[in-house]
Amino acid sequence: MNSDLSWALNDVLQVRGARHAILVSADGLLLEHSSDFGRDDAETVAAAISGMQSLSRALSPFIGSTRTGGWRQTLLEYNDGWIFLIAAGSGAYLAATAASDVDMEAMSFRMQQQVSALGKALMTPLRETPGTGA
């Protein structure tokens, strides 16, 4: 991704208690990270977030969803905070972390706003494997 989208991720961090934000491709590539989060740490988290979104999608039948693409958001709670994960276009995911006392509604809303505002800028195609056409 050539565009610097850190401004959009930093905007997510305007919610009181928000800590870090990253943009990840479906296959685990770090596309962007908020300016206060180191690239090495962000790349490690990106790989894990990719797996989390895949697991979240795979669990949709558990809630009775028969629709493809029924997954919308994953929240993970820890003693010291939250991780929010949402789809951010075709093949991209926005993840953010926040303190345990964050206003969850405000955080989710801000993330949805950024995804909507960026629209096509956040879309990324899946990587193709040379020679396979996939």
PDB file of all heavy atoms in Angstrom, residues 40-69:
ATOM      1  N   ASP A  40       8.182  -3.380  14.148  1.00  0.00           N
ATOM      2  CA  ASP A  40       8.431  -4.792  14.464  1.00  0.00           C
ATOM      3  C   ASP A  40       7.289  -5.379  15.279  1.00  0.00           C
ATOM      4  O   ASP A  40       6.799  -6.476  14.977  1.00  0.00           O
ATOM      5  CB  ASP A  40       9.751  -4.964  15.211  1.00  0.00           C
ATOM      6  CG  ASP A  40      10.967  -4.728  14.326  1.00  0.00           C
ATOM      7  OD1 ASP A  40      10.815  -4.730  13.081  1.00  0.00           O
ATOM      8  OD2 ASP A  40      12.061  -4.540  14.879  1.00  0.00           O
ATOM      9  N   ASP A  41       6.844  -4.657  16.298  1.00  0.00           N
ATOM     10  CA  ASP A  41       5.716  -5.129  17.106  1.00  0.00           C
ATOM     11  C   ASP A  41       4.447  -5.201  16.266  1.00  0.00           C
ATOM     12  O   ASP A  41       3.667  -6.148  16.376  1.00  0.00           O
ATOM     13  CB  ASP A  41       5.485  -4.208  18.308  1.00  0.00           C
ATOM     14  CG  ASP A  41       6.579  -4.336  19.354  1.00  0.00           C
ATOM     15  OD1 ASP A  41       7.241  -5.397  19.418  1.00  0.00           O
ATOM     16  OD2 ASP A  41       6.777  -3.369  20.110  1.00  0.00           O
ATOM     17  N   ALA A  42       4.247  -4.212  15.419  1.00  0.00           N
ATOM     18  CA  ALA A  42       3.054  -4.173  14.576  1.00  0.00           C
ATOM     19  C   ALA A  42       3.023  -5.350  13.598  1.00  0.00           C
ATOM     20  O   ALA A  42       1.958  -5.927  13.350  1.00  0.00           O
ATOM     21  CB  ALA A  42       2.979  -2.851  13.821  1.00  0.00           C
ATOM     22  N   GLU A  43       4.170  -5.739  13.049  1.00  0.00           N
ATOM     23  CA  GLU A  43       4.207  -6.879  12.137  1.00  0.00           C
ATOM     24  C   GLU A  43       3.878  -8.178  12.853  1.00  0.00           C
ATOM     25  O   GLU A  43       3.181  -9.039  12.304  1.00  0.00           O
ATOM     26  CB  GLU A  43       5.570  -6.955  11.443  1.00  0.00           C
ATOM     27  CG  GLU A  43       5.730  -5.878  10.386  1.00  0.00           C
ATOM     28  CD  GLU A  43       7.068  -5.921   9.679  1.00  0.00           C
ATOM     29  OE1 GLU A  43       7.980  -6.663  10.103  1.00  0.00           O
ATOM     30  OE2 GLU A  43       7.203  -5.183   8.684  1.00  0.00           O
ATOM     31  N   THR A  44       4.353  -8.327  14.071  1.00  0.00           N
ATOM     32  CA  THR A  44       4.037  -9.518  14.860  1.00  0.00           C
ATOM     33  C   THR A  44       2.545  -9.594  15.147  1.00  0.00           C
ATOM     34  O   THR A  44       1.911 -10.635  14.978  1.00  0.00           O
ATOM     35  CB  THR A  44       4.828  -9.509  16.188  1.00  0.00           C
ATOM     36  OG1 THR A  44       6.218  -9.508  15.883  1.00  0.00           O
ATOM     37  CG2 THR A  44       4.492 -10.705  17.053  1.00  0.00           C
ATOM     38  N   VAL A  45       1.967  -8.471  15.562  1.00  0.00           N
ATOM     39  CA  VAL A  45       0.532  -8.418  15.857  1.00  0.00           C
ATOM     40  C   VAL A  45      -0.280  -8.646  14.583  1.00  0.00           C
ATOM     41  O   VAL A  45      -1.311  -9.321  14.613  1.00  0.00           O
ATOM     42  CB  VAL A  45       0.166  -7.080  16.534  1.00  0.00           C
ATOM     43  CG1 VAL A  45      -1.339  -6.912  16.640  1.00  0.00           C
ATOM     44  CG2 VAL A  45       0.803  -7.001  17.911  1.00  0.00           C
ATOM     45  N   ALA A  46       0.165  -8.111  13.463  1.00  0.00           N
ATOM     46  CA  ALA A  46      -0.551  -8.284  12.198  1.00  0.00           C
ATOM     47  C   ALA A  46      -0.728  -9.754  11.851  1.00  0.00           C
ATOM     48  O   ALA A  46      -1.810 -10.177  11.422  1.00  0.00           O
ATOM     49  CB  ALA A  46       0.186  -7.556  11.071  1.00  0.00           C
ATOM     50  N   ALA A  47       0.304 -10.545  12.039  1.00  0.00           N
ATOM     51  CA  ALA A  47       0.202 -11.983  11.747  1.00  0.00           C
ATOM     52  C   ALA A  47      -0.831 -12.646  12.647  1.00  0.00           C
ATOM     53  O   ALA A  47      -1.643 -13.458  12.191  1.00  0.00           O
ATOM     54  CB  ALA A  47       1.566 -12.643  11.913  1.00  0.00           C
ATOM     55  N   ALA A  48      -0.842 -12.287  13.920  1.00  0.00           N
ATOM     56  CA  ALA A  48      -1.808 -12.866  14.854  1.00  0.00           C
ATOM     57  C   ALA A  48      -3.228 -12.395  14.535  1.00  0.00           C
ATOM     58  O   ALA A  48      -4.177 -13.180  14.604  1.00  0.00           O
ATOM     59  CB  ALA A  48      -1.431 -12.491  16.287  1.00  0.00           C
ATOM     60  N   ILE A  49      -3.377 -11.133  14.176  1.00  0.00           N
ATOM     61  CA  ILE A  49      -4.703 -10.590  13.843  1.00  0.00           C
ATOM     62  C   ILE A  49      -5.271 -11.290  12.612  1.00  0.00           C
ATOM     63  O   ILE A  49      -6.466 -11.570  12.540  1.00  0.00           O
ATOM     64  CB  ILE A  49      -4.622  -9.060  13.629  1.00  0.00           C
ATOM     65  CG1 ILE A  49      -4.404  -8.357  14.966  1.00  0.00           C
ATOM     66  CG2 ILE A  49      -5.845  -8.531  12.902  1.00  0.00           C
ATOM     67  CD1 ILE A  49      -5.551  -8.474  15.959  1.00  0.00           C
ATOM     68  N   SER A  50      -4.424 -11.599  11.653  1.00  0.00           N
ATOM     69  CA  SER A  50      -4.870 -12.323  10.471  1.00  0.00           C
ATOM     70  C   SER A  50      -5.493 -13.661  10.865  1.00  0.00           C
ATOM     71  O   SER A  50      -6.548 -14.046  10.369  1.00  0.00           O
ATOM     72  CB  SER A  50      -3.702 -12.542   9.506  1.00  0.00           C
ATOM     73  OG  SER A  50      -4.106 -13.333   8.419  1.00  0.00           O
ATOM     74  N   GLY A  51      -4.830 -14.349  11.765  1.00  0.00           N
ATOM     75  CA  GLY A  51      -5.373 -15.614  12.249  1.00  0.00           C
ATOM     76  C   GLY A  51      -6.672 -15.420  13.005  1.00  0.00           C
ATOM     77  O   GLY A  51      -7.615 -16.215  12.874  1.00  0.00           O
ATOM     78  N   MET A  52      -6.755 -14.357  13.792  1.00  0.00           N
ATOM     79  CA  MET A  52      -7.966 -14.092  14.569  1.00  0.00           C
ATOM     80  C   MET A  52      -9.161 -13.823  13.665  1.00  0.00           C
ATOM     81  O   MET A  52     -10.257 -14.319  13.901  1.00  0.00           O
ATOM     82  CB  MET A  52      -7.730 -12.912  15.515  1.00  0.00           C
ATOM     83  CG  MET A  52      -8.898 -12.629  16.439  1.00  0.00           C
ATOM     84  SD  MET A  52      -9.459 -14.050  17.410  1.00  0.00           S
ATOM     85  CE  MET A  52      -7.958 -14.477  18.261  1.00  0.00           C
ATOM     86  N   GLN A  53      -8.973 -13.045  12.610  1.00  0.00           N
ATOM     87  CA  GLN A  53     -10.100 -12.781  11.718  1.00  0.00           C
ATOM     88  C   GLN A  53     -10.525 -14.054  11.004  1.00  0.00           C
ATOM     89  O   GLN A  53     -11.705 -14.293  10.804  1.00  0.00           O
ATOM     90  CB  GLN A  53      -9.809 -11.643  10.728  1.00  0.00           C
ATOM     91  CG  GLN A  53      -8.744 -11.867   9.702  1.00  0.00           C
ATOM     92  CD  GLN A  53      -9.169 -12.696   8.497  1.00  0.00           C
ATOM     93  OE1 GLN A  53     -10.341 -12.796   8.167  1.00  0.00           O
ATOM     94  NE2 GLN A  53      -8.206 -13.311   7.846  1.00  0.00           N
ATOM     95  N   SER A  54      -9.565 -14.899  10.669  1.00  0.00           N
ATOM     96  CA  SER A  54      -9.892 -16.164  10.021  1.00  0.00           C
ATOM     97  C   SER A  54     -10.705 -17.063  10.961  1.00  0.00           C
ATOM     98  O   SER A  54     -11.711 -17.659  10.559  1.00  0.00           O
ATOM     99  CB  SER A  54      -8.605 -16.868   9.581  1.00  0.00           C
ATOM    100  OG  SER A  54      -8.905 -18.093   8.955  1.00  0.00           O
ATOM    101  N   LEU A  55     -10.279 -17.159  12.208  1.00  0.00           N
ATOM    102  CA  LEU A  55     -11.031 -17.940  13.194  1.00  0.00           C
ATOM    103  C   LEU A  55     -12.422 -17.353  13.420  1.00  0.00           C
ATOM    104  O   LEU A  55     -13.409 -18.094  13.532  1.00  0.00           O
ATOM    105  CB  LEU A  55     -10.275 -17.985  14.523  1.00  0.00           C
ATOM    106  CG  LEU A  55      -9.020 -18.845  14.556  1.00  0.00           C
ATOM    107  CD1 LEU A  55      -8.257 -18.608  15.849  1.00  0.00           C
ATOM    108  CD2 LEU A  55      -9.379 -20.302  14.399  1.00  0.00           C
ATOM    109  N   SER A  56     -12.503 -16.050  13.491  1.00  0.00           N
ATOM    110  CA  SER A  56     -13.795 -15.397  13.714  1.00  0.00           C
ATOM    111  C   SER A  56     -14.763 -15.715  12.581  1.00  0.00           C
ATOM    112  O   SER A  56     -15.939 -16.007  12.820  1.00  0.00           O
ATOM    113  CB  SER A  56     -13.613 -13.879  13.830  1.00  0.00           C
ATOM    114  OG  SER A  56     -12.842 -13.567  14.967  1.00  0.00           O
ATOM    115  N   ARG A  57     -14.286 -15.668  11.368  1.00  0.00           N
ATOM    116  CA  ARG A  57     -15.135 -15.995  10.215  1.00  0.00           C
ATOM    117  C   ARG A  57     -15.557 -17.459  10.241  1.00  0.00           C
ATOM    118  O   ARG A  57     -16.698 -17.789   9.946  1.00  0.00           O
ATOM    119  CB  ARG A  57     -14.396 -15.700   8.916  1.00  0.00           C
ATOM    120  CG  ARG A  57     -14.230 -14.242   8.634  1.00  0.00           C
ATOM    121  CD  ARG A  57     -13.436 -14.049   7.335  1.00  0.00           C
ATOM    122  NE  ARG A  57     -13.298 -12.661   7.026  1.00  0.00           N
ATOM    123  CZ  ARG A  57     -14.257 -11.894   6.530  1.00  0.00           C
ATOM    124  NH1 ARG A  57     -15.441 -12.381   6.307  1.00  0.00           N
ATOM    125  NH2 ARG A  57     -14.032 -10.629   6.267  1.00  0.00           N
ATOM    126  N   ALA A  58     -14.635 -18.322  10.616  1.00  0.00           N
ATOM    127  CA  ALA A  58     -14.931 -19.763  10.638  1.00  0.00           C
ATOM    128  C   ALA A  58     -15.989 -20.116  11.683  1.00  0.00           C
ATOM    129  O   ALA A  58     -16.674 -21.129  11.559  1.00  0.00           O
ATOM    130  CB  ALA A  58     -13.648 -20.552  10.904  1.00  0.00           C
ATOM    131  N   LEU A  59     -16.133 -19.282  12.692  1.00  0.00           N
ATOM    132  CA  LEU A  59     -17.094 -19.554  13.760  1.00  0.00           C
ATOM    133  C   LEU A  59     -18.509 -19.076  13.461  1.00  0.00           C
ATOM    134  O   LEU A  59     -19.413 -19.313  14.263  1.00  0.00           O
ATOM    135  CB  LEU A  59     -16.615 -18.935  15.073  1.00  0.00           C
ATOM    136  CG  LEU A  59     -15.445 -19.668  15.717  1.00  0.00           C
ATOM    137  CD1 LEU A  59     -14.875 -18.854  16.863  1.00  0.00           C
ATOM    138  CD2 LEU A  59     -15.884 -21.037  16.187  1.00  0.00           C
ATOM    139  N   SER A  60     -18.744 -18.438  12.330  1.00  0.00           N
ATOM    140  CA  SER A  60     -20.081 -17.919  12.051  1.00  0.00           C
ATOM    141  C   SER A  60     -21.167 -18.998  12.086  1.00  0.00           C
ATOM    142  O   SER A  60     -22.270 -18.724  12.559  1.00  0.00           O
ATOM    143  CB  SER A  60     -20.113 -17.126  10.747  1.00  0.00           C
ATOM    144  OG  SER A  60     -19.827 -17.951   9.652  1.00  0.00           O
ATOM    145  N   PRO A  61     -20.912 -20.232  11.653  1.00  0.00           N
ATOM    146  CA  PRO A  61     -21.960 -21.255  11.774  1.00  0.00           C
ATOM    147  C   PRO A  61     -22.327 -21.572  13.233  1.00  0.00           C
ATOM    148  O   PRO A  61     -23.444 -22.002  13.518  1.00  0.00           O
ATOM    149  CB  PRO A  61     -21.353 -22.486  11.102  1.00  0.00           C
ATOM    150  CG  PRO A  61     -20.344 -21.940  10.162  1.00  0.00           C
ATOM    151  CD  PRO A  61     -19.788 -20.734  10.862  1.00  0.00           C
ATOM    152  N   PHE A  62     -21.412 -21.321  14.158  1.00  0.00           N
ATOM    153  CA  PHE A  62     -21.659 -21.581  15.577  1.00  0.00           C
ATOM    154  C   PHE A  62     -22.822 -20.739  16.107  1.00  0.00           C
ATOM    155  O   PHE A  62     -23.536 -21.155  17.008  1.00  0.00           O
ATOM    156  CB  PHE A  62     -20.375 -21.319  16.365  1.00  0.00           C
ATOM    157  CG  PHE A  62     -20.458 -21.657  17.827  1.00  0.00           C
ATOM    158  CD1 PHE A  62     -20.806 -22.928  18.255  1.00  0.00           C
ATOM    159  CD2 PHE A  62     -20.155 -20.703  18.775  1.00  0.00           C
ATOM    160  CE1 PHE A  62     -20.867 -23.247  19.595  1.00  0.00           C
ATOM    161  CE2 PHE A  62     -20.205 -21.008  20.133  1.00  0.00           C
ATOM    162  CZ  PHE A  62     -20.565 -22.283  20.543  1.00  0.00           C
ATOM    163  N   ILE A  63     -23.017 -19.546  15.545  1.00  0.00           N
ATOM    164  CA  ILE A  63     -24.136 -18.714  15.962  1.00  0.00           C
ATOM    165  C   ILE A  63     -25.340 -18.881  15.043  1.00  0.00           C
ATOM    166  O   ILE A  63     -26.322 -18.169  15.162  1.00  0.00           O
ATOM    167  CB  ILE A  63     -23.751 -17.220  16.051  1.00  0.00           C
ATOM    168  CG1 ILE A  63     -23.342 -16.681  14.690  1.00  0.00           C
ATOM    169  CG2 ILE A  63     -22.668 -17.001  17.067  1.00  0.00           C
ATOM    170  CD1 ILE A  63     -23.351 -15.183  14.608  1.00  0.00           C
ATOM    171  N   GLY A  64     -25.243 -19.824  14.115  1.00  0.00           N
ATOM    172  CA  GLY A  64     -26.363 -20.100  13.225  1.00  0.00           C
ATOM    173  C   GLY A  64     -26.361 -19.294  11.946  1.00  0.00           C
ATOM    174  O   GLY A  64     -27.328 -19.304  11.205  1.00  0.00           O
ATOM    175  N   SER A  65     -25.279 -18.589  11.673  1.00  0.00           N
ATOM    176  CA  SER A  65     -25.201 -17.786  10.457  1.00  0.00           C
ATOM    177  C   SER A  65     -24.959 -18.678   9.252  1.00  0.00           C
ATOM    178  O   SER A  65     -24.029 -19.477   9.228  1.00  0.00           O
ATOM    179  CB  SER A  65     -24.069 -16.758  10.573  1.00  0.00           C
ATOM    180  OG  SER A  65     -23.982 -16.002   9.390  1.00  0.00           O
ATOM    181  N   THR A  66     -25.816 -18.540   8.259  1.00  0.00           N
ATOM    182  CA  THR A  66     -25.633 -19.281   7.010  1.00  0.00           C
ATOM    183  C   THR A  66     -25.131 -18.364   5.908  1.00  0.00           C
ATOM    184  O   THR A  66     -24.870 -18.803   4.806  1.00  0.00           O
ATOM    185  CB  THR A  66     -26.961 -19.927   6.568  1.00  0.00           C
ATOM    186  OG1 THR A  66     -27.950 -18.902   6.423  1.00  0.00           O
ATOM    187  CG2 THR A  66     -27.411 -20.965   7.577  1.00  0.00           C
ATOM    188  N   ARG A  67     -25.002 -17.077   6.229  1.00  0.00           N
ATOM    189  CA  ARG A  67     -24.557 -16.112   5.235  1.00  0.00           C
ATOM    190  C   ARG A  67     -23.037 -16.092   5.139  1.00  0.00           C
ATOM    191  O   ARG A  67     -22.352 -16.111   6.156  1.00  0.00           O
ATOM    192  CB  ARG A  67     -25.015 -14.706   5.596  1.00  0.00           C
ATOM    193  CG  ARG A  67     -26.496 -14.530   5.631  1.00  0.00           C
ATOM    194  CD  ARG A  67     -26.868 -13.120   5.976  1.00  0.00           C
ATOM    195  NE  ARG A  67     -26.164 -12.686   7.178  1.00  0.00           N
ATOM    196  CZ  ARG A  67     -25.932 -11.419   7.476  1.00  0.00           C
ATOM    197  NH1 ARG A  67     -26.306 -10.477   6.665  1.00  0.00           N
ATOM    198  NH2 ARG A  67     -25.302 -11.096   8.589  1.00  0.00           N
ATOM    199  N   THR A  68     -22.535 -16.021   3.938  1.00  0.00           N
ATOM    200  CA  THR A  68     -21.112 -15.795   3.743  1.00  0.00           C
ATOM    201  C   THR A  68     -20.838 -14.341   4.091  1.00  0.00           C
ATOM    202  O   THR A  68     -21.581 -13.452   3.719  1.00  0.00           O
ATOM    203  CB  THR A  68     -20.717 -16.057   2.273  1.00  0.00           C
ATOM    204  OG1 THR A  68     -21.070 -17.387   1.945  1.00  0.00           O
ATOM    205  CG2 THR A  68     -19.237 -15.849   2.063  1.00  0.00           C
ATOM    206  N   GLY A  69     -19.795 -14.115   4.823  1.00  0.00           N
ATOM    207  CA  GLY A  69     -19.468 -12.748   5.202  1.00  0.00           C
ATOM    208  C   GLY A  69     -20.306 -12.242   6.368  1.00  0.00           C
ATOM    209  O   GLY A  69     -20.451 -11.052   6.543  1.00  0.00           O
TER     210      GLY A  69
END
